[in-house]
């Protein structure tokens, strides 16, 4: 059984509709697939309907933007109640902060590049969650950079003159909120990013106390050495080790199924509900 528990659609920063993500998942030979758009569950019903018609096991998910003492944390939550009032309030506040941040970044970029907020909105299309990937797409459309990866490496990276932080809940609070809504939480790609930005072990200790269930170990942004360390961390904390593609369609080079979650790990996640 091929299980991929981390994909994105055009509801956030992917480039394909929720239904098309499911079709691509079926073409890639997946059996189980989760849709985890950033701070939104707006694609759930479309994805669920298409997955069912294709004979896929579909897992409802979300990727929550969070922090641990200033370090960015991406928290995956599966099977939670999206109408839970605390969940609605948390993700709405984060989505609003993302928009304000994106507008501030565009204001800075506009001083040096021919990019406007209208350009970003055009690139975002019908996305519920607007963020830096759409700014990157606007930079690509203007011919300023070659692709999204170049935009993040050359212009939008943390520490650049155009970088603007945004509100996100502390990871312990995010885990607590999602757990109260019936969610099973997994920290996504905790060692991805620039050197020195790895999530420290004490963050896991506190998140586990709040109800964290797992950690995404197998991810293209983790080196072999980092994966080994994360497996050791998962063993120490009793966490479920997962693997995922973090698929974004044409938005990233990630391919569906390039990293997978084992049947045993998926079963453990289901039992943690």
């Amino acid at each position: 059984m091929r299980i991929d528990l981390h994909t994105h659609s055009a509801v956030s920063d992917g480039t394909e509709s929720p239904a098309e993500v499911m079709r691509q998942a079926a073409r890639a030979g997946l059996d189980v697939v989760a849709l985890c758009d950033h701070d939104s569950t707006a694609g759930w019903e479309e994805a669920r309907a298409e997955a069912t018609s294709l004979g896929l096991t579909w897992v409802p998910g979300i990727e929550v933007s969070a922090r641990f003492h200033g370090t960015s944390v991406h928290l995956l939550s599966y099977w939670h109640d999206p109408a839970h009032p605390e969940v609605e309030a948390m993700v709405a506040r984060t989505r609003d902060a993302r928009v304000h941040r994106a507008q501030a970044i565009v204001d800075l970029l506009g001083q040096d590049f021919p990019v406007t907020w209208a350009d970003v909105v055009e690139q975002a299309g019908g996305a519920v969650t607007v963020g830096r990937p759409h700014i990157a797409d606007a930079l690509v459309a203007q011919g300023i950079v070659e692709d999204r990866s170049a935009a993040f490496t050359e212009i939008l990276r943390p520490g650049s003159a155009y970088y603007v932080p945004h509100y996100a809940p502390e990871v312990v609070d995010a885990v607590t909120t999602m757990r109260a809504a019936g969610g099973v939480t997994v920290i996504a790609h905790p060692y991805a990013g620039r050197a020195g930005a790895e999530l420290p072990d004490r963050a896991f200790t506190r998140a586990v106390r709040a109800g964290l269930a797992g950690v995404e170990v197998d991810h293209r942004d983790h080196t072999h050495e980092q994966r080994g360390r994360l497996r050791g961390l998962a063993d120490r904390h009793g966490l479920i080790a997962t693997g995922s593609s973090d698929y974004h369609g044409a938005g990233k080079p990630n391919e569906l199924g390039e990293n997978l979650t084992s049947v045993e790990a998926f079963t453990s996640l289901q039992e943690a509900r």
Side-chain angles (χ1 to χ4, degrees):
M1 184 176 291
R2 290 169 51 80
I3 304 167
D4 190 337
L5 297 180
H6 187 173
T7 70
H8 295 273
S9 77
V11 166
S12 61
D13 56 345
T15 60
E16 299 165 348
S17 69
E20 181 59 25
V21 174
M22 296 303 111
R23 289 191 286 270
Q24 293 290 354
R27 294 184 188 111
L30 295 178
D31 301 292
V32 181
V33 60
L35 183 69
C36 299
D37 281 314
H38 291 280
D39 302 306
S40 177
T41 59
W44 277 17
E45 290 310 312
E46 181 182 332
R48 185 200 312 271
E50 188 65 19
T52 299
S53 72
L54 294 167
L56 295 173
T57 296
W58 178 74
V59 178
I62 190 172
E63 185 167 3
V64 177
S65 304
R67 296 196 178 280
F68 178 76
H69 294 179
T71 298
S72 177
V73 181
H74 290 219
L75 183 72
L76 302 170
S77 177
Y78 306 110
W79 300 296
H80 63 276
D81 175 7
H84 190 285
E86 292 182 14
V87 170
E88 286 188 325
M90 182 177 70
V91 297
R93 182 179 179 186
T94 304
R95 280 199 307 270
D96 290 345
R98 278 178 171 269
V99 172
H100 294 316
R101 173 218 208 176
Q103 291 172 329
I105 291 173
V106 172
D107 287 343
L108 292 172
L109 287 170
Q111 299 174 24
D112 299 311
F113 302 104
V115 176
T116 67
W117 182 244
D119 296 328
V120 175
V121 172
E122 180 180 359
Q123 293 299 321
V128 174
T129 304
V130 179
R132 286 190 301 159
H134 303 114
I135 299 174
D137 291 343
L139 292 169
V140 173
Q142 293 289 351
I144 297 167
V145 292
E146 182 178 358
D147 53 30
R148 274 190 186 182
S149 295
F152 277 92
T153 300
E154 300 170 17
I155 297 175
L156 300 177
R157 71 186 188 282
S160 80
Y162 310 104
Y163 184 79
V164 176
H166 70 92
Y167 161 81
E170 283 294 317
V171 65
V172 168
D173 295 332
V175 170
T176 300
T177 297
M178 302 313 291
R179 191 63 186 142
V184 177
T185 54
V186 173
I187 289 181
H189 46 69
Y191 287 177
R194 67 191 189 283
E198 291 185 357
L199 193 63
D201 281 13
R202 67 183 185 279
F204 289 94
T205 299
R206 296 177 188 179
V208 167
R209 291 172 183 163
L212 181 71
V215 57
E216 192 177 60
V217 173
D218 292 315
H219 185 282
R220 75 153 46 208
D221 291 342
H222 289 161
T223 65
H224 178 74
E225 184 271 338
Q226 287 176 323
R227 295 184 193 206
R229 284 196 283 128
L230 280 171
R231 291 190 194 284
L233 181 148
D235 288 342
R236 290 195 304 276
H237 290 286
L239 291 169
I240 302 162
T242 69
S244 308
S245 65
D246 197 2
Y247 178 73
H248 283 70
K252 285 185 177 181
N254 309 39
E255 297 289 341
L256 284 162
E258 66 178 29
N259 288 290
L260 297 168
T261 294
S262 70
V263 173
E264 294 77 14
F266 183 58
T267 299
S268 294
L269 289 174
Q270 291 176 303
E271 292 173 348
R273 295 171 68 176

